[in-house]
Amino acid sequence: MKTRYTFGGDEHIYVEMDEEMSLDAFFKSLSMSNAVRDAKIPGVTEICPANASFQVRFDPDVTHPDEMLKRIQELEAKAEDAEKRMTTRIVEVPVFYRDPWTHETLMRFRERHQDPQGTDLDYAARINGYDSVDAFIEAHHSAPWFVSMVGFVSGLPFLYQLVEREKQIEVPKYVRPRTDTPKLTVGYGGCFSCVYSVRGAGGYQMFGITPMPIYDPRQQTSYLRDFMVFFRPGDIVKWKPIDRAEYDRITAEVEANTWSPRTAEVTFDLAEFNADMADTNKKLMEALDDA
């Protein structure tokens, strides 16, 4: 991987690890972000990590842009040698696939889609070579997902599927974005799944909806009282298919502040994952059963 550095005006430096997303690029980005933070370079005001890159905002009156670039580049070797291992958590996220709300929305915006005659799930299953929507849904929830970035919209996680590259689901975004997407829609664009934290415009394919709030600026949800955003980079997600009855039950418990997501502490080691993905994923998913 060849790291690319570019300026964003006088106050930003953008550092891109690779042109395509990979866990190696993510871990290097995370290590470099941490290294910049630990270095306490004078003038740095903000560090914003992304899927395989990060951006540094700084005050050019404190540290000249050329000097800031030099200081950041000097940290790259340290990031290359950093241990690609982290203690994190796995979270079970319930998903009501083929729900009525995203279905109504996707049919309303059918003229903006690659396949106006079907549904988003029909299209995604077909172009990924699955014989049925049920088989495609199983592929979506049968392996864990890695939260590589949180942002774009407040609290929205980007999730990267923990499988071999050739097995990864890939689905293009809508031809033209929608002006509406239900809150907590489980979407898909490119190689990333996501959860829409708020209602609004969007272009990702819509597969279902979760009853689990992931963003609460008022911090009234029981498990969001300490911080308004649930997900953080490095989290691992296990999707759990649910039906309408389960969706309604969880929704009622969320409103009563008696529900919280199942979580478990796990260790993710990139070398172990690359050596045996199936066994690593099995251990990650089983950690929730032991919690």
Side-chain angles (χ1 to χ4, degrees), residues 16-28:
E16 185 179 17
M17 305 303 149
D18 204 338
E19 291 184 352
E20 62 181 30
M21 171 59 194
S22 69
L23 288 175
D24 290 279
F26 166 81
F27 270 92
K28 184 177 178 182

Side-chain angles (χ1 to χ4, degrees), residues 4-212:
R4 181 165 62 183
Y5 298 83
T6 53
F7 286 108
D10 295 329
E11 299 181 352
H12 296 86
I13 291 177
Y14 177 64
V15 186
E16 185 179 17
M17 305 303 149
D18 204 338
E19 291 184 352
E20 62 181 30
M21 171 59 194
S22 69
L23 288 175
D24 290 279
F26 166 81
F27 270 92
K28 184 177 178 182
S29 172
L30 181 66
S31 297
M32 279 199 72
S33 297
N34 291 336
V36 172
R37 186 175 293 107
D38 294 342
K40 293 181 170 52
I41 305 171
V44 171
T45 58
E46 192 173 358
I47 302 168
C48 182
N51 294 314
S53 62
F54 68 96
Q55 186 165 270
V56 177
R57 185 181 183 185
F58 62 96
D59 184 345
D61 292 329
V62 175
T63 299
H64 189 277
D66 291 338
E67 177 63 21
M68 181 62 69
L69 176 63
K70 179 183 176 183
R71 293 287 300 273
I72 294 173
Q73 287 176 322
E74 289 172 349
L75 297 171
E76 184 173 351
K78 182 178 180 181
E80 291 276 12
D81 296 335
E83 185 179 38
K84 294 179 173 59
R85 177 185 176 94
M86 63 166 60
T87 298
T88 184
R89 61 180 176 173
I90 184 167
V91 183
E92 185 176 79
V93 179
V95 184
F96 182 15
Y97 292 96
R98 290 186 280 206
D99 68 281
W101 306 285
T102 59
H103 181 78
E104 184 278 329
T105 304
L106 68 86
M107 296 308 293
R108 187 155 35 100
F109 290 95
R110 221 60 217 144
E111 80 283 354
R112 303 183 182 213
H113 196 273
Q114 294 90 341
D115 180 10
Q117 306 306 314
T119 68
D120 292 9
L121 278 167
D122 292 334
Y123 173 69
R126 187 178 74 252
I127 68 170
N128 281 278
Y130 290 92
D131 295 333
S132 66
V133 168
D134 286 339
F136 177 79
I137 289 174
E138 183 176 355
H140 185 262
H141 71 72
S142 61
W145 296 71
F146 195 92
V147 177
S148 58
M149 171 183 167
V150 178
F152 184 71
V153 175
S154 297
L156 183 150
F158 287 82
L159 299 114
Y160 184 77
Q161 194 177 24
L162 292 176
V163 294
E164 295 87 345
R165 181 62 65 96
E166 61 272 13
K167 292 182 179 179
Q168 285 181 343
I169 297 167
E170 292 192 26
V171 191
K173 295 186 286 187
Y174 275 43
V175 176
R176 287 189 295 129
R178 301 176 302 275
T179 56
D180 189 25
T181 307
K183 179 181 178 180
L184 298 179
T185 289
V186 175
Y188 211 101
C191 68
F192 291 103
S193 199
C194 79
V195 180
Y196 282 77
S197 53
V198 296
R199 182 178 182 179
Y204 276 26
Q205 309 285 335
M206 295 182 288
F207 294 168
I209 201 162
T210 176
M212 173 185 162

Side-chain angles (χ1 to χ4, degrees), residues 95-97 99-101 209 242-251:
V95 184
F96 182 15
Y97 292 96
D99 68 281
W101 306 285
I209 201 162
I242 59 174
D243 58 16
R244 177 60 186 269
E246 183 75 353
Y247 176 89
D248 290 342
R249 182 189 68 78
I250 294 174
T251 299

